[in-house]
């Protein structure tokens, strides 16, 4: 059999995002033993770089082995015991996934739904947390299913006012959107490598403050998942270096290199670039007569949902983008199935050149499917 024929794609979907050559090259470094002093140094550097990316001094800041959902499962399983009351903002698919994991862990789950395309209603959130004995409030920073940015500081305030921890999914925000773990007071947060960090999928950066660590240490039941038990994981990533599982060596190399790129650019510059590129995309769409699905003030710069024009088959347009231009975007799902395109501008994928390329390819693909541009302006 021949090597797999892998085409060159421009990845503008909800992840994975484009992986720079430097990151691919780092992955090709020799595999070391997972307790080799040289690899332990790589681990330490990776944790340092991660703390800088999260803007935290949290000791427990590690890449969990697994994709973003692994980070989610680690966060939920460690903070939740059977009967724990957790309030989950469900304003899209990933919020619902958190709720489902918590249910499986035996938690008493209260959801605060918001219509897809809208952020949470803060009053409804506070009502669900206030005086109910809720131990955890969970929310998604950028809901990749809808393209909504959920501001975190008001949620931190609500959670802490009522003695709850704030658990955050920052999968589509870390490295692309302003995120300040310590300044804002987020207690437990996870992300993933293949979105705004531009490493391949496979690791889930996670950070937990000392209050969370104490809460985990004080559990009356053992964490249901052995693999994601953060106390065990911190003895491997911490000073003790106790074997727990074999770290995915090459993925750690890739993450380290991806984080080096983030820090060469600088977090603030990176956030500004994502905002500027997204604004260019939104302007270009509106000039063409297309409509972003989410109201401007709630849009995330890393993931844009575009309303599929009347009479256009969204799947046919996406197939053309892939076949004729080698560009990947995604469709909607759940309530947004067939109603939106989802376009990710993440990390290395967030440049003005890519936006112009994408707008041209989208216009041609829509035209080929019978749509005529600029109808809104007419
Ligand atoms: C992609 C994504 C996940 C899940 O990550 P996987 O790597 O697919 O497991 C979780 N939350 C959000 C917001 C995501 O965009």
């Amino acid at each position: 059999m021949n090597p797999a024929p892998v085409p060159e794609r421009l990845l503008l979907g909800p992840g994975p995002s484009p992986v720079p050559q430097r990151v691919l090259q780092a992955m090709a470094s020799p595999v070391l033993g997972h307790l080799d002093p040289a690899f332990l140094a790589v681990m330490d550097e990776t944790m340092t770089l991660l703390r800088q990316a999260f803007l935290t001094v949290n000791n427990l800041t590690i890449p969990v082995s697994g994709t973003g959902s692994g980070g989610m499962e680690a966060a939920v399983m460690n903070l939740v015991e059977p009967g724990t009351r957790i309030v989950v903002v469900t304003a899209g698919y990933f919020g619902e996934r958190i709720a489902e994991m918590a249910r499986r862990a035996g938690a008493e789950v209260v959801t605060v739904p918001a219509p897809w395309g809208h952020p949470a209603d803060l009053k409804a959130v506070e009502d669900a947390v206030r005086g109910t004995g809720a131990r955890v409030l969970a929310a998604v920073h950028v809901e990749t299913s809808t393209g909504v940015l959920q501001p975190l500081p008001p949620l931190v305030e609500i959670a802490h006012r009522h003695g709850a921890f704030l658990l955050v999914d920052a999968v589509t925000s870390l490295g692309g959107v302003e995120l300040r773990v310590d300044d804002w007071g987020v207690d437990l947060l996870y992300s993933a490598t293949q979105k705004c960090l531009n490493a391949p999928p496979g690791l889930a950066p996670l950070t937990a403050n000392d209050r969370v660590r104490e809460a985990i240490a004080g559990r009356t039941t053992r964490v249901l998942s052995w693999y994601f038990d953060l106390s065990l994981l911190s003895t491997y990533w911490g000073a003790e270096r106790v074997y727990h599982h074999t770290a995915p060596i090459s993925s750690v190399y890739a993450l380290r290199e991806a984080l080096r790129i983030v820090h060469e650019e600088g977090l603030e510059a990176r956030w500004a670039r994502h905002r500027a590129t997204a604004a260019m995309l939104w302007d270009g769409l509106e000039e063409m007569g297309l409509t972003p699905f989410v109201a401007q003030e709630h849009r995330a710069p890393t993931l844009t949902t575009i309303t599929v024009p009347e009479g256009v088959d969204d799947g046919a347009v996406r197939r053309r983008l892939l076949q004729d231009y080698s560009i990947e975007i995604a469709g909607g799902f759940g309530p947004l199935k067939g109603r939106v395109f989802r376009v990710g501008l993440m990390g290395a994928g967030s440049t003005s050149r890519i936006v112009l390329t994408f707008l041209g390819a989208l216009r041609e693909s829509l035209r080929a499917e019978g749509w005529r541009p600029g109808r809104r302006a007419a």
Side-chain angles (χ1 to χ4, degrees), residues 100-112:
E100 174 58 15
M101 285 185 184
R103 272 182 217 112
R104 289 184 182 210
E108 195 189 309
V109 180
V110 177
T111 58
V112 183

Side-chain angles (χ1 to χ4, degrees), residues 167-236:
L167 188 171
V168 169
D169 175 317
V171 171
T172 302
S173 60
L174 177 67
V177 176
E178 182 177 15
L179 173 64
R180 302 176 185 276
V181 170
D182 285 2
D183 279 2
W184 290 350
V186 177
D187 298 295
L188 175 58
L189 178 144
Y190 60 87
S191 188
T193 47
Q194 80 275 22
K195 310 245 173 158
C196 304
L197 298 179
N198 304 130
L203 290 173
L206 175 147
T207 188
N209 65 19
D210 288 343
R211 287 177 55 231
V212 167
R213 297 189 75 174
E214 284 156 23
I216 295 171
R219 289 175 59 111
T220 53
T221 61
R222 278 196 292 188
V223 176
L224 282 173
S225 167
W226 181 88
Y227 194 68
F228 291 128
D229 185 324
L230 286 174
S231 307
L232 296 178
L233 287 175
S234 54
T235 60
Y236 172 49

Side-chain angles (χ1 to χ4, degrees), residues 67-69 72 94 97 140 142 144 169 171-172 192 194-195:
T67 63
S69 308
M72 187 187 287
F94 290 103
R97 186 180 288 186
V140 178
V142 172
T144 323
D169 175 317
V171 171
T172 302
Q194 80 275 22
K195 310 245 173 158

Side-chain angles (χ1 to χ4, degrees), residues 134-158:
R135 187 123 196 276
V136 185
L137 170 62
V140 178
H141 193 194
V142 172
E143 216 351 308
T144 323
S145 57
T146 65
V148 170
L149 175 80
Q150 175 69 55
L152 296 180
L155 294 181
V156 176
E157 266 181 43
I158 291 173

Side-chain angles (χ1 to χ4, degrees), residues 38-50 256 259:
F39 184 67
L40 298 182
V42 171
M43 289 167 68
D44 286 342
E45 289 156 6
T46 305
M47 287 189 284
T48 300
L49 288 163
L50 269 182
R256 178 179 175 280
L259 289 168

Side-chain angles (χ1 to χ4, degrees), residues 57 59 81 122 132-133 142 196 200 211 249 257 261 290 330 340 343:
V57 296
N59 206 358
E81 295 189 64
L122 294 177
T132 57
V142 172
C196 304
R211 287 177 55 231
I249 308 290
E257 190 62 21
I261 294 175
L290 294 169
V340 296
V343 181

Side-chain angles (χ1 to χ4, degrees), residues 175-176 196-198 261-262 265-274 347-348:
C196 304
L197 298 179
N198 304 130
I261 294 175
V262 170
E265 180 173 12
L267 282 175
E268 306 253 355
R270 210 170 158 92
W271 299 335
R273 171 166 64 82
H274 280 78

